[in-house]
Every structure is written in C-alpha cells, then in structure tokens.
C-alpha cells in the first residue's frame, strides 16, 4: 500500500492513481495465475525462492531508483511492478498452502492460526513503522533494508524449506519428522 502511495506522490495524483490501479490489476493476475497453474507444477520451494529473490532484486532497484532520483517511468514503476509480480508468485500464496501441509493434523488449526496471526501482526507493525522510517532515513534506505531482509529470507528458505509438491500429507509428516527419510532425500533440494 505504501509503495503505491510513494509512487503516486512522485507521479502526481492523476497519473499516480492510474499507475496504482494498473499495478493492482497486474498483481491480481499474477496471484491468480500462480495459484491455479504454477503451485502444483513448479513447486512451492522453487516459487518461494524465486519470489524472495525477485523481491530482493526489485527492492534493491527501488532503493537505487530513489537514491538516483530516477524517473517514475520506467524505473520506479518497473521496479514496483517487478516487486509485485515476484511477491505474487510465491510469498503471497505459498504460506496459505505450505503451512497447512507442513503441520501435523493435531496442530494444524492452531499452528496455521498462529502463523497467520503473527504474519498479520508483523504486517501491521511494518505498516505503522514504514512512514516514520522513510521520514527518518529516506525511501532509498528503507527499500535497501527491505532488500537485505529479503536476502536473509532467501537464505532461510534455501536452507530450511522442503519441497512438498507431489507428496501425500502422510509422507509430508514423515518428511518433517524424519530428516533422513527417502522422501526427504528425493525432495529436500529439488530446486
């Protein structure tokens, strides 16, 4: 939300509104395409790695664009569109799929609830902290920090996220309970 507003402030109210609407529609199309066509064929781990890496690159480009005072079109809008597309292919839909798959049946409801609650609380904190951080440090520094955080997330996903596509829920439970199972050796680093 704030990234679109920052772009709108740079582009002017009329053009900013139009650009925000275009970005929103493109994001919805990518989420829909990903959920319906890519999640079960490409895999959750690959999409999440691509998504986290792509958002890191896009945020780095946004940091550069604001630091260099680049034009809204094509630099800032292009980086923002790339961010939304990258976010939409993995980081947006996969938590809703992966969390329920990874947790044992007896913990699934509470675990997914806790995970989604935590995600929403962090999102609220981030939304609250974003404007003061921009005022204190500048847009380019905030986007640069976000890029670094996404690189950390990329490393975490690479090291710890197991692929679950094509595996039954029973096998997934074995996969997470028993790190040296046959399922694990087939799918852990399926990148």
């Amino acid at each position: 939300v704030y990234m679109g507003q920052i772009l709108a402030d740079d582009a002017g109210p009329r053009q900013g509104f139009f650009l925000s609407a275009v970005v929103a529609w493109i994001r919805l199309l990518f989420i829909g395409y990903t959920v319906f066509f890519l999640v079960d064929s490409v895999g959750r781990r690959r999409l999440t790695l691509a998504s986290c890496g792509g958002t890191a690159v896009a945020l780095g480009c946004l940091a550069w664009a604001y630091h260099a005072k680049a034009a809204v079109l094509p630099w800032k809008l292009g980086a923002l569109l790339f961010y939304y597309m990258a976010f939409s292919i993995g980081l947006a839909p996969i938590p809703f799929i992966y969390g329920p798959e990874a947790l044992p049946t007896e913990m699934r409801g509470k675990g997914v609830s806790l995970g989604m609650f935590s995600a929403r609380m962090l999102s609220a904190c981030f939304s609250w902290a974003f404007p003061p951080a921009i005022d204190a440090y500048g847009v380019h520094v905030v986007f640069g920090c976000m890029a670094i955080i996404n690189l950390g997330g990329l490393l975490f996903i690479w090291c710890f996220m197991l692929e679950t596509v094509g595996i039954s829920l029973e096998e997934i439970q074995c996969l997470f309970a028993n790190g040296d199972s046959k399922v694990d050796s087939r799918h852990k680093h399926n990148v």
Side-chain angles (χ1 to χ4, degrees):
V1 173
Y2 285 116
M3 289 195 286
Q5 182 60 45
I6 291 168
L7 186 66
D9 290 346
D10 273 358
R14 187 175 179 102
Q15 187 179 18
F17 176 77
F18 174 75
L19 293 176
S20 294
V22 168
V23 166
W25 277 105
I26 290 172
R27 182 175 181 227
L28 284 173
L29 291 172
F30 266 82
I31 288 175
Y33 180 78
T34 300
V35 170
F36 290 113
F37 300 109
L38 297 180
V39 169
D40 287 327
S41 61
V42 175
R44 288 109 167 95
R45 187 170 191 269
R46 285 184 184 152
L47 286 173
T48 307
L49 285 168
S51 181
C52 205
T55 56
V57 168
L59 289 165
C61 290
L62 278 167
W64 167 82
Y66 277 95
H67 179 70
K69 296 180 180 19
V72 172
L73 290 172
W75 304 109
K76 292 175 184 173
L77 178 62
L80 185 63
L81 280 173
F82 186 67
Y83 171 83
Y84 281 132
M85 290 185 306
F87 183 79
S88 297
I89 65 166
L91 293 173
I94 301 297
F96 294 99
I97 300 165
Y98 194 78
E101 287 179 340
L103 294 169
T105 304
E106 62 273 3
M107 299 174 66
R108 191 165 294 141
K110 289 181 181 174
V112 170
S113 296
L114 179 62
M116 291 301 152
F117 173 76
S118 300
R120 297 300 170 240
M121 289 302 293
L122 285 171
S123 179
C125 290
F126 182 78
S127 295
W128 172 78
F130 195 76
I134 287 174
D135 292 341
Y137 305 108
V139 177
H140 64 288
V141 172
V142 173
F143 283 146
C145 289
M146 290 168 58
I148 292 167
I149 290 168
N150 274 271
L151 288 174
L154 182 68
L155 180 63
F156 180 84
I157 292 163
W158 179 263
C159 292
F160 298 109
M161 185 176 185
L162 306 175
E163 183 57 75
T164 59
V165 72
I167 305 173
S168 70
L169 288 176
E170 293 79 17
E171 287 180 311
I172 290 172
Q173 298 312 306
C174 291
L175 175 68
F176 284 100
N178 190 359
D180 59 353
S181 69
K182 289 182 182 179
V183 175
D184 186 21
S185 64
R186 276 196 333 243
H187 296 284
K188 182 175 181 181
H189 295 291
N190 185 14
V191 176

